[in-house]
Amino acid sequence: MSTQEDTEAIARQIFEEIWQNHNYDVIDELVAKDYVLHDPSMPEETEWPAGRDGYRQMAEMGSEIIDGPLEIEQLLPAGDHVVIRWKQTGTHVGEMEEIDPTNEEVTVTGIEIDRFENGQLVETWQEVGMIPMLTQIGILSEDLFSPEAS
């Protein structure tokens, strides 16, 4: 397999095993010890551990906040990088920072660029559509985004 085929296969395995099946035991195999996440939606004051522990914490937290499947909508391999557009639809069942569960149906989307080395995920740049989610659970008003609000 070429590097591009390897990275695509590993990226799909991460989504399937960790994000869909909640099999966190594979993190040690698929995620590098010194993994780094770049995500502006994560609060700066949150002490997010680096490495595998941080990745595990992020994956567990994600499954506790929204009860619903996470799906790959598009995956584009490019050498040692993979670009993924994903969507999660489900119920907001877990606390998110200071926001209590609302039990509202939500759809969250994201785009990430993952970098791989030696068969492991080493770095992620991620953008998550938090504003639409906060609108769906009633934290932000849809009126904020109407043409009349400008």
Side-chain angles (χ1 to χ4, degrees):
M1 254 197 264
S2 71
T3 300
Q4 188 162 300
E5 290 169 330
D6 290 341
T7 56
E8 180 177 355
I10 296 164
R12 288 187 185 282
Q13 186 178 7
I14 287 170
F15 262 79
E16 183 177 311
E17 290 295 324
I18 299 169
W19 294 98
Q20 293 172 341
N21 298 334
H22 311 294
N23 178 6
Y24 306 121
D25 293 337
V26 300
I27 289 173
D28 289 344
E29 173 191 343
L30 300 175
V31 178
K33 242 189 271 190
D34 57 350
Y35 170 80
V36 178
L37 171 68
H38 307 278
D39 185 341
S41 72
M42 297 291 184
E44 286 183 30
E45 64 275 2
T46 301
E47 293 202 21
W48 202 262
R52 291 178 180 142
D53 290 340
Y55 194 91
R56 178 183 300 270
Q57 185 178 335
M58 175 180 58
E60 289 174 350
M61 181 186 76
S63 69
E64 292 170 0
I65 293 174
I66 298 175
D67 181 18
L70 193 134
E71 304 169 39
I72 294 175
E73 293 197 306
Q74 190 171 21
L75 188 146
L76 303 169
D80 63 350
H81 288 76
V82 174
V83 179
I84 301 171
R85 187 169 54 86
W86 54 264
K87 172 175 79 172
Q88 184 174 20
T89 302
T91 306
H92 174 224
V93 295
E95 186 175 322
M96 186 175 54
E97 289 301 309
E98 309 257 332
I99 303 169
D100 289 330
T102 61
N103 294 313
E104 294 288 334
E105 291 296 312
V106 296
T107 297
V108 180
T109 59
I111 295 176
E112 64 185 65
I113 302 169
D114 294 329
R115 184 172 65 84
F116 296 84
E117 278 181 12
N118 302 317
Q120 293 185 316
L121 175 63
V122 294
E123 196 165 18
T124 299
W125 292 265
Q126 177 171 270
E127 295 284 335
V128 178
M130 296 303 294
I131 290 176
M133 180 191 169
L134 294 173
T135 303
Q136 292 168 47
I137 62 174
I139 301 300
L140 295 177
S141 168
E142 288 184 22
D143 295 340
L144 289 173
F145 307 104
S146 70
E148 294 81 34
S150 334

